[in-house]
Amino acid sequence: MRVFIIAGEPSGDRLGGALMAGLKALNPEVQFDGIGGAEMQAQGLVSRFPMDELSVMGIAEILPKYRALMARINETAQAVIETAPDVMITIDSPDFSLRVARRVKAACDIRTVHYVAPTVWVWRPKRAQKMAKVIDHVLALFPFEPPLMTLDGMVCDFVGHPVVAEPQATEAEALAFREAKGIGSAPLLLVLPGSRRGEVERLGDIFGKAIAPVLDRHPDLKVVVPAAGPVADVVLEKVRGWPTAPIVLDPRDMNVDAAGRIKRAAFRAADVALAASGTVSLELAAARTPMVIAYKMNWISFNIIKAMALVDTVTLVNLVSDTRVVPDFLGPDCTPEKIGTGILDVMAAPEAQQAAMEVTMQRLGEGGEDPGLRAALAVLSRLPSKGQADA
């Protein structure tokens, strides 16, 4: 069995790695081709080009790289058409993935699977209709999504989110992390400014200034910044201007397993986290770490998205738990003053988020079958038999 698999950002790379592991467990002879990062490469993928070329978010942010992205879209689609895999699996990154799928479907009838349903319950509900023209099968992270997809003619299976199956640090590992980093019993703030270069460049200075009022109230505060490998150099540059020297966890000199262990220990050890909006909020929820979410993008992008939004929060913990207990500061509200106040509020009542985090993890499948294996089973169960495919 040959699978062409595509991810365009770190969160998709994690999904892809878990799915590939599931496929290998069910079909040891499976062969992979495509684009992915460290997690997918650890499962045997040789990426056709660096995944971080695709890690662009925001309408205005994409425009300067439009020609390069279009070239990669055409290159990837042609590779799929020429290699004729049994299935093409695209993971999130719809601006790239669905354009590839459109070109592939225009040339042949390779089965297409898209992992992560479009968030039609957040904004642009007609996206599912357009997607149905080029995608045969959707793998959904949230249990309420399949009915929304099947309304538009796509097969959709809820497979859960891999975050619920990822290992978590023990209390002993968290204490050992604090001891090794000289933190002791001091309050610990985890800062996660994003996994894309543009995010870190926009949020790095804002997050640094947001620490100042927290330091005023808690002068013994320690700050830890787990950096994503592709942006570690930008993180190290940005933190030089922060009001306290943070402990930066740079994964570039570690293997994937060691970097993961240290990151998990930091998540468990933290009293509170400040993070860029995204899947990281689910990682924090899995570690039961209270959080503040913030995000700033180009003014044009923000206002276009805000005008089309169907919900009043983008934080996944709030959306999945149907609460609003995690403060998020977006667009013009993404200021050091507001973020700093939000951190202090969470530190004053960290227990306020615990129930929402428990509900979120339960709804995403915590304690059930491994989501990567569920996703692999869903892909294989929907593939036509060889006889059907040749008919």
Side-chain angles (χ1 to χ4, degrees), residues 154-374:
M154 287 176 286
V155 172
C156 183
D157 292 307
F158 166 63
V159 298
H161 198 294
V163 71
V164 302
E166 291 174 359
Q168 297 298 317
T170 64
E171 186 63 24
E173 289 171 326
L175 290 172
F177 174 84
R178 280 178 167 266
E179 184 68 22
K181 299 299 181 182
I183 297 167
S185 60
L188 173 55
L189 169 65
L190 198 70
V191 179
L192 300 129
S195 57
R196 302 179 182 91
R197 184 169 294 267
E199 290 174 334
V200 177
E201 289 174 345
R202 285 192 302 275
L203 295 172
D205 293 339
I206 296 171
F207 281 13
K209 291 176 182 176
I211 295 170
V214 186
L215 277 169
D216 290 342
R217 188 80 61 86
H218 301 278
D220 58 339
L221 180 78
K222 300 294 184 180
V223 178
V224 170
V225 183
V231 296
D233 56 337
V234 189
V235 170
L236 289 167
E237 178 185 340
K238 285 292 181 181
V239 301
R240 293 194 188 104
W242 287 12
T244 185
I247 300 164
V248 177
L249 305 181
D250 187 342
R252 291 176 294 179
D253 296 327
M254 295 180 277
N255 63 41
V256 172
D257 289 339
R261 285 194 301 272
I262 292 173
K263 179 181 175 182
R264 290 191 294 271
F267 273 49
R268 178 68 182 266
D271 296 293
V272 62
L274 166 62
S277 177
T279 309
V280 70
S281 68
L282 297 180
E283 296 180 60
L284 292 166
R288 304 314 194 260
T289 303
M291 69 196 84
V292 172
I293 300 298
Y295 204 81
K296 192 176 188 69
M297 64 174 64
N298 177 279
W299 182 87
I300 296 173
S301 298
F302 175 79
N303 281 282
I304 291 173
I305 292 170
K306 182 179 178 182
M308 293 188 285
L310 304 177
V311 293
D312 60 351
T313 180
V314 298
T315 299
L316 291 169
V317 174
N318 288 340
L319 291 165
V320 176
S321 66
D322 196 24
T323 67
R324 296 296 182 267
V325 295
V326 176
D328 49 14
F329 302 96
L330 311 174
D333 289 328
C334 183
T335 67
E337 297 76 19
K338 290 184 177 181
I339 295 169
T341 298
I343 295 170
L344 288 168
D345 289 344
V346 172
M347 291 179 75
E351 69 284 352
Q353 296 184 19
Q354 292 303 315
M357 292 191 285
E358 294 286 346
V359 169
T360 296
M361 291 298 104
Q362 185 272 325
R363 290 181 177 173
L364 295 185
E366 188 175 67
E369 191 172 44
D370 181 274
L373 184 61
R374 288 178 64 173

Side-chain angles (χ1 to χ4, degrees), residues 8 25 42 51 66 70 103 110 113 128 212 235 238 292 366:
M51 184 190 72
Y66 179 78
M70 290 303 298
R103 286 159 174 76
I110 291 169
V113 177
V235 170
K238 285 292 181 181
V292 172
E366 188 175 67

Side-chain angles (χ1 to χ4, degrees), residues 1-12:
M1 177 183 176
R2 293 177 299 117
V3 176
F4 200 104
I5 187 166
I6 302 166
E9 55 189 341
S11 60

